[in-house]
Amino acid sequence: MSERYRSIIDVHVILHRSGEILLLERQGTGYCDGMLHLPSGHLDEGEPLNHGAAREAREEVGVTINPDFLSLAAVVHHRQRSDLARVGMFFVAERWKGEPYNAEPHKCGKLQWADPHLLPSNMIDYPAAGVRAWCDNTAFAHHGWADQG
């Protein structure tokens, strides 16, 4: 009997204010260094989605978010490569405590606020798909699948 399919679950946080969203420049990670991403990470075993998103925001940009103030903005089914897919859960923080700062300088070069409708050219495609889905009020998107047309 074959084992059931499993996928990595990612949680992404959209912090927005004054018409802009917060992006982080990856540095020293070996994956898309120099490119922009949202505060994000992997869901931990046994962790509710909104709690994982709040944890990642705290770890990466030092803000405190009550998980109850995170609204699901979009789901992106991302095919990273032929043998690896991920499900990205994109949450919007309705409010948070603290001023965002670079809490992981060993993984992040800088923080940058950007217009979500005019994403910088060095934004990683996968989180950009989630931001576009949120902007378009689309609940689901897929990225990297050959049949997406």
Side-chain angles (χ1 to χ4, degrees), residues 53-93:
R55 175 185 50 76
E56 287 292 346
R58 185 180 62 255
E59 290 174 0
E60 294 191 359
V61 296
V63 298
T64 301
I65 304 172
N66 178 329
D68 294 335
F69 293 123
L70 287 168
S71 300
L72 186 61
V75 176
V76 176
H77 195 198
H78 169 65
R79 188 167 188 171
Q80 190 163 339
R81 56 181 196 253
S82 63
D83 64 338
L84 178 62
R86 312 171 86 85
V87 176
M89 310 300 284
F90 289 76
F91 289 92
V92 173

Side-chain angles (χ1 to χ4, degrees), residues 64-131:
T64 301
I65 304 172
N66 178 329
D68 294 335
F69 293 123
L70 287 168
S71 300
L72 186 61
V75 176
V76 176
H77 195 198
H78 169 65
R79 188 167 188 171
Q80 190 163 339
R81 56 181 196 253
S82 63
D83 64 338
L84 178 62
R86 312 171 86 85
V87 176
M89 310 300 284
F90 289 76
F91 289 92
V92 173
E94 302 302 329
R95 59 179 124 155
W96 65 86
K97 291 181 185 174
E99 182 63 25
Y101 68 93
N102 184 356
E104 293 185 324
H106 59 289
K107 294 182 181 179
C108 177
K110 65 181 178 181
L111 304 184
Q112 174 179 329
W113 291 92
D115 182 335
H117 299 281
L118 299 168
L119 293 172
S121 61
N122 63 332
M123 177 87 173
I124 299 170
D125 288 341
Y126 167 35
V131 171

Side-chain angles (χ1 to χ4, degrees), residues 23-44:
L23 302 175
L24 293 72
E25 181 186 66
R26 296 182 62 84
Q27 170 183 285
T29 67
Y31 173 73
C32 293
D33 289 337
M35 297 188 76
L36 300 171
H37 203 302
L38 295 165
S40 63
H42 307 130
L43 187 67
D44 287 346

